[in-house]
Amino acid sequence: MRSLSTILVTGGAGFIGSNFIHWLFAQPEFTGRVINLDALTYAGNLENLADIEARYGKGAEASGAVPRYVFVQGDICDRPLVERLFAEYGVDTVVHFAAESHVDRSILGPEAFVRTNVLGTYTLLDVARQAWRAPSGGMREDVLFHHVSTDEVFGSLGEEGYFTESTPYDPRSPYSASKAASDHLAKAYHHTYGLPLTLSNCSNNYGPYQFPEKLIPLMILNMLEGKPLPVYGDGRNIRDWLYVEDHNEAVWTIMRNGQSGRTYNIGGENEWENIRLLERLIELVAEEAHLDIARLRGLITYVKDRPGHDRRYAIDCTRLKTELGWRQRISFDEGLRKTIRWYLDHREWVEHVRSGAYRAWIEQNYARRV
Ligand code: NAD
Ligand code: DAU
């Protein structure tokens, strides 16, 4: 029986990780604690978790009580630090979100991707393997390492077909190659050492707290600011979009009930050509922000394509639906409206993440806690 009570969340200050922590603390069945290990790169921002810190962090608990939320600024490649966290907190579960995650950045500078995504994942796996040894010599059975991955490891589809869990890996960008390497390491640790492991490959996420370099927040903010809307190539590349809460519910479902050693695809079953998505987004932003739709349409600008740009991603998530009973809850229009409203209401957050000003805020509010 999995304990799922002292959960090391890596990358918990990023987009999906911070949404996961919010989501988890909102689940009545979760009574455990979260240790959030994040290096706070450009993509990590503790403002995302200020409410969680206030409610469950150090200052919130009666003196002497153990807080249910602990933030630690640190690098997943720092083995002594990771070992200390396992020992000090008695980590029984890892959910590993931390990564360099943006394809365009991986094309400009692959090294950080290899370091964090490959070496960092190796470090976590290897510390877990040592910390979770059972006295009998095997591995403890009440522990779990959940590795969060992407559909990009499968490569690019033509007009037909879907990625299933048995689709061969064919990564084509430095980002997806580094994620594929991390997936192989995770599976190898299960196969070779018996590390209790689940793994998920998800399609494109969108929602609150997404760094405005990714398509949907970038386009929303450029519309609000009257800037060009850069469409790569012919705009006909296809992605399968999922609201971030649906992703996180799937991750938690797998952590609770997934079979060790098994991988699960997570997807929106919601394919859109980029240009069609942008046209719909323009309609919704015009409505939500009371902007002139013709003026927004006039901002569409075709630009040079991303090198090696994958044409189409589409996930078959039948396994997750039939074996574990998960389903998407948020329709695309509903999710896009929620996301647009969130960016409209959080202009200060946008200023902070763009300018790096949140670093000063962090320094005033947090010290390194180990
Ligand atoms: P993100 O870039 O928003 O956040 C990444 C977080 O990891 C940041 O908080 C950053 O500070 C932290 N981090 C980076 N390097 C670190 C290091 N060396 N040590 C500790 N922390 C470090 O990413 P995201 O979009 O939230 O993605 C989270 C995970 O989900 C990634 O593994 C990604 O591959 C995967 N994923 C993302 C999507 C998507 O659409 N965004 C889809 C499928 C899977
Ligand atoms: O599929 C899952 C992946 O989705 C995750 O693993 C990645 O971490 C995440 O970044 C995302 O990768 P993409 O490359 O698909 O996302 P991005 O938002 O960068 O781009 C989505 C599509 O939009 C893609 O076809 C490129 C295109 N695009 C993107 C940007 C930023 C544009 O046309 N213009 C842009 O300015």
Side-chain angles (χ1 to χ4, degrees):
M1 178 82 173
R2 285 172 196 153
S3 166
L4 303 176
S5 66
T6 303
I7 305 185
L8 177 65
V9 178
T10 70
F15 162 50
I16 304 176
S18 61
N19 276 288
F20 179 80
I21 292 173
H22 279 115
W23 191 86
L24 188 58
F25 276 109
Q27 305 312 303
E29 83 263 11
F30 178 66
T31 53
R33 15 181 4 207
V34 165
I35 317 300
N36 174 12
L37 172 62
D38 196 299
L40 300 180
T41 68
Y42 78 96
N45 180 0
L46 284 182
E47 279 174 277
N48 302 359
L49 292 159
D51 53 339
I52 296 286
E53 176 70 44
R55 188 139 180 225
Y56 303 105
K58 213 173 182 179
E61 303 288 342
S63 60
V66 189
R68 289 187 64 207
Y69 172 77
V70 178
F71 173 71
V72 178
Q73 182 174 1
D75 190 331
I76 56 168
C77 301
D78 180 347
R79 186 176 184 120
L81 170 63
V82 177
E83 283 174 345
R84 205 147 22 108
L85 296 180
F86 270 74
E88 185 171 336
Y89 294 104
V91 170
D92 57 44
T93 309
V94 175
V95 52
H96 176 32
F97 292 99
E100 288 292 338
S101 69
H102 192 42
V103 174
D104 292 330
R105 285 181 192 256
S106 83
I107 295 166
L108 293 170
E111 191 175 332
F113 287 73
V114 175
R115 187 179 173 280
T116 288
N117 299 359
V118 185
L119 185 60
T121 302
Y122 153 75
T123 304
L124 293 164
L125 289 165
D126 207 56
V127 172
R129 166 175 83 94
Q130 296 201 330
W132 290 343
R133 276 208 191 108
S136 58
M139 297 293 301
R140 278 169 55 184
E141 285 176 5
D142 60 337
V143 293
L144 181 73
F145 192 112
H146 182 79
H147 180 59
V148 177
S149 192
T150 168
D151 60 358
E152 299 204 9
V153 297
F154 298 123
S156 183
L157 291 164
E159 282 178 19
E160 302 286 315
Y162 296 91
F163 297 134
T164 71
E165 287 82 357
S166 51
T167 301
Y169 276 30
D170 182 23
R172 294 147 49 97
S173 73
Y175 164 67
S176 54
S178 66
K179 289 297 290 187
S182 71
D183 290 14
H184 289 314
L185 278 168
K187 290 180 197 185
Y189 268 67
H190 172 75
H191 185 74
T192 308
Y193 305 113
L195 185 80
L197 175 97
T198 47
L199 192 154
S200 51
N201 295 96
C202 188
S203 64
N204 285 63
N205 284 217
Y206 68 101
Y209 304 111
Q210 189 166 31
F211 194 83
E213 62 188 349
K214 308 277 165 59
L215 182 74
I216 287 180
L218 177 86
M219 293 297 182
I220 293 171
L221 293 172
N222 283 12
M223 285 181 219
L224 299 180
E225 292 160 7
K227 292 183 185 160
L229 308 175
V231 177
Y232 295 168
D234 64 3
R236 311 231 7 230
N237 301 66
I238 293 175
R239 297 292 182 268
D240 170 5
W241 294 94
L242 181 70
Y243 192 64
V244 63
E245 258 179 36
D246 281 337
H247 181 186
N248 283 327
E249 182 171 1
V251 166
W252 184 237
T253 303
I254 295 165
M255 289 169 68
R256 291 180 78 195
N257 301 318
Q259 190 182 314
S260 180
R262 204 152 170 77
T263 76
Y264 296 86
N265 278 357
I266 309 171
E269 300 178 300
N270 179 38
E271 290 180 53
W272 286 75
E273 280 187 355
N274 291 337
I275 188 66
R276 297 279 94 78
L277 186 164
L278 184 55
E279 285 162 359
R280 183 67 190 134
L281 195 58
I282 284 173
E283 289 168 357
L284 296 175
V285 170
E287 274 178 43
E288 295 290 338
H290 311 292
L291 293 174
D292 179 54
I293 196 162
R295 199 176 68 80
L296 294 183
R297 286 187 179 130
L299 297 173
I300 295 177
T301 310
Y302 285 89
V303 299
K304 195 162 167 277
D305 208 354
R306 170 187 280 175
H309 195 174
D310 287 340
R311 193 64 174 171
R312 174 173 166 253
Y313 303 146
I315 278 276
D316 176 342
C317 51
T318 309
R319 173 179 289 178
L320 179 60
K321 289 181 139 180
T322 54
E323 291 183 11
L324 303 184
W326 171 86
R327 64 186 165 81
Q328 307 89 350
R329 293 181 193 274
I330 314 267
S331 74
F332 201 34
D333 266 16
E334 190 188 349
L336 287 176
R337 282 189 195 277
K338 276 167 167 288
T339 306
I340 294 164
R341 284 186 213 128
W342 190 87
Y343 282 92
L344 276 169
D345 292 345
H346 290 80
R347 302 307 293 274
E348 201 179 316
W349 181 94
V350 172
E351 286 315 309
H352 284 182
V353 300
R354 278 180 174 164
S355 66
Y358 66 96
R359 298 201 177 281
W361 184 91
I362 288 162
E363 271 156 30
Q364 278 166 19
N365 289 277
Y366 291 86
R368 186 182 161 106
R369 291 185 191 142
V370 183

